[in-house]
Amino acid sequence: MYSEKFQKSIKAVEEARERNIAYEPARMTAKQKEDLLAAYHPDYKQDEFEELKIGPNKGEKVPRELAAMLQAHSRISAESVDLSKPDYDVDVLIIGGGGAGASAAIEANEAGADVMIVTKLRIGDANTMMAEGGIQAADKPNDSPAIHFVDAFGGGHFAAKRELLSKLVCDAPEAIRWLESLGVEFDKTPDGTMVTTHGGGTSRKRMHAAKDYSGAEIMRTLRDEVLNRRIPVVDFTAAIELILDENGNAAGAVLMNMETKDLLVAKAKTVVIATGGAGRMHYQGFPTSNHYGATADGLVLGYRAGAKLLYADTLQYHPTGAAYPEQIFGALVTEKVRSLGAKLVNRNGEVFMHPLETRDVAAASIIRECGDRGNGVDTGNGEGVWLDTPMIEKIGGEGTIERRIPAMMRMFEKYGIDIRKEPILVYPTLHYQNGGLDITPDGMTTNVRNLFVAGEAVGGIHGRNRLMGNSLLDIIVFGRSAGRSAAAESRSAAVGKLTLDHVATFEKEISDAGISTDMVSPKLLPNYTGKANI
């Protein structure tokens, strides 16, 4: 399977394995982390960012690829759509069919609202499905939401909105109970106790998991609940523009059938954006662990309607994306692999960082090891470092990998790699959108009434870096909250005359700012063909 050069490096890893298992590298000081991130983390490469010339965040910098979408033309003109005869008329319109959208729909339905989900792919085609490692909740006797808060606040560089992070950690134990009541099969000991593990940056074992397909198990359960409740789901239909009423409140969306390109109008008393992340934007040319539809649509829709962004300049590059073989380049290698005992080692078999540093620090450390230090392994398609997975069996005993991370074992097994016996090559992959639309604790955007946001499209929950397991948590906590709040708001919402005037206003801003572009947004799907986007 491996070249002679690979085999030589693997031999060095094998020879150092027993020594490395016993070796506990020191954690970095705050100053060391600060210097490392400034020198090597992609978020700090100033020439990869562009200052916005228009919109609510004018003057702020965002990734170049995102700036192009935020300042692009709408797919429609303000005059091209007849809003007088809506195709759908509901209390709560939810845009996005992942974990956040499904959670919002379930709670809105439970509150008695007439709710509908619209999603550009199928319900469940989302980053939720791709999540592997687990979901955090401080529900053990030696833990508390306060300790969870401290871990997450520090891990996010003390930048999280305190009121959002407080809600996240305080609602976490109930989120686990709710998921379990719906049927999520979390890992448990024979006496029924939840199995919990560490993640990077955690001071307590609070990671609840379903093997290493936690997101898929959660999404399976939420999707079943949505369908069992007979909540309408409009698949393969994208929201391409928000509709406001004459008072500037969110009042629906213009939809586009992804196959026929027919336009539809959905009127609603409240709208929930749950469109997920942006990995398929491939910022700075990075590969991604994200699903096919993760193209920052919600940020574009909200921004054009006047909603502010928060921390849109910060992304999470998961430190361990598959670097080899090429067929799974960028695929997620869950952090749970490291929490079970595997350590990152360079081509010489040397451990070069503490295995459970926060994700941004770990990613920057790998980039440095492959770059300036020259200790990476040439894969023929870039470089990587070894994640020494056989350590797990040495520490936990034979069968640990198959029992605890079976999906990971199967993913590599397809390509002739037995991770129980051989280390695997990894390199950072674009994983999570730390920034997003700015919301209040009830989920409503700070400056567009009746527009709610949940999940990865939210900014501020995690600050400038997210800890493992807090994303599956936030889609539940803030998805449920947005659903309840949107349903409650819909009971008293008086929808005025529907309008797309904001589209015309934004188009004038583009012209006045002298922006010359032939791009349209939202992007909807990535383009790997070289042909024009849909």
Side-chain angles (χ1 to χ4, degrees), residues 233-528:
V233 179
V234 184
D235 285 324
F236 299 112
T237 302
I240 60 170
E241 204 64 69
L242 291 179
I243 298 171
L244 304 181
D245 70 8
E246 59 190 336
N247 302 309
N249 302 328
V254 177
L255 314 177
M256 184 182 76
N257 183 293
M258 293 290 284
E259 181 178 9
T260 67
K261 308 302 183 289
D262 290 341
L263 298 182
L264 302 163
V265 172
K267 179 182 178 181
K269 295 175 181 175
T270 57
V271 178
V272 179
I273 288 177
T275 52
R280 293 290 168 169
M281 299 287 283
H282 293 292
Y283 298 129
Q284 299 187 37
F286 271 81
T288 186
S289 62
N290 284 191
H291 83 105
Y292 193 59
T295 50
D297 295 357
L299 274 59
V300 172
L301 295 176
Y303 195 71
R304 198 143 53 216
K308 288 191 68 174
L309 300 173
L310 182 64
Y311 301 150
D313 60 326
T314 174
L315 286 302
Q316 182 166 91
Y317 296 81
H318 196 292
T320 55
Y324 186 88
E326 188 176 358
Q327 296 95 320
I328 53 171
F329 185 50
L332 181 64
V333 175
T334 173
E335 193 168 308
K336 191 173 182 179
V337 176
R338 285 181 286 141
S339 73
L340 290 174
K343 290 178 181 175
L344 290 161
V345 298
N346 62 26
R347 71 178 181 187
N348 304 315
E350 300 160 336
V351 174
F352 57 89
M353 56 163 281
H354 191 283
L356 291 179
E357 291 284 7
T358 55
R359 286 179 172 177
D360 54 350
V361 170
S365 295
I366 293 170
I367 291 170
R368 177 177 64 181
E369 201 68 17
C370 292
D372 287 358
R373 290 185 173 177
N375 292 327
V377 179
D378 184 358
T379 69
N381 189 36
E383 290 199 335
V385 296
W386 296 109
L387 182 56
D388 196 7
T389 48
M391 281 187 175
I392 296 172
E393 303 269 292
K394 291 273 188 181
I395 295 168
E398 188 176 342
T400 301
I401 285 177
E402 188 168 8
R403 186 173 67 254
R404 301 295 299 276
I405 48 173
M408 201 92 287
M409 186 179 81
R410 288 194 299 271
M411 182 171 77
F412 281 92
E413 204 168 44
K414 291 177 183 176
Y415 304 100
I417 298 171
D418 186 344
I419 70 172
R420 296 168 297 185
K421 300 174 182 177
E422 304 168 73
I424 55 179
L425 281 166
V426 296
Y427 191 79
T429 184
L430 185 51
H431 184 60
Y432 189 82
Q433 179 177 263
N434 289 323
L437 295 162
D438 194 8
I439 63 168
T440 55
D442 67 354
M444 191 184 294
T445 58
T446 53
N447 55 339
V448 179
R449 188 162 186 81
N450 296 344
L451 179 61
F452 296 81
V453 192
E456 200 169 340
V458 173
I461 299 173
H462 309 288
R464 292 186 168 275
N465 181 61
R466 176 181 63 77
L467 299 189
M468 171 191 180
N470 279 348
S471 59
L472 282 179
L473 178 58
D474 87 47
I475 64 172
I476 305 302
V477 169
F478 287 92
R480 296 180 72 195
S481 176
R484 288 193 295 262
S485 298
E489 188 71 22
S490 73
R491 287 194 283 271
S492 59
V495 180
K497 181 183 177 183
L498 302 187
T499 174
L500 289 170
D501 288 350
H502 65 285
V503 175
T505 300
F506 199 82
E507 189 64 34
K508 185 175 186 304
E509 286 187 49
I510 292 174
S511 176
D512 290 348
I515 298 171
S516 178
T517 177
D518 58 0
M519 300 187 78
V520 296
S521 63
K523 188 171 187 174
L524 301 182
L525 294 174
N527 178 13
Y528 299 119

Side-chain angles (χ1 to χ4, degrees), residues 207-234:
M207 201 70 58
H208 302 65
K211 302 290 190 294
D212 59 344
Y213 43 79
S214 304
E217 171 63 8
I218 288 171
M219 192 67 246
R220 173 196 69 80
T221 306
L222 294 175
R223 180 176 54 217
D224 285 354
E225 184 67 15
V226 167
L227 298 179
N228 289 340
R229 286 172 174 263
R230 300 186 184 281
I231 295 170
V233 179
V234 184

Side-chain angles (χ1 to χ4, degrees), residues 50-52 62-72 281 283:
E50 183 175 321
E51 188 175 294
L52 292 171
V62 300
R64 290 186 179 279
E65 300 86 345
L66 180 59
M69 289 293 99
L70 292 175
Q71 300 181 143
M281 299 287 283
Y283 298 129

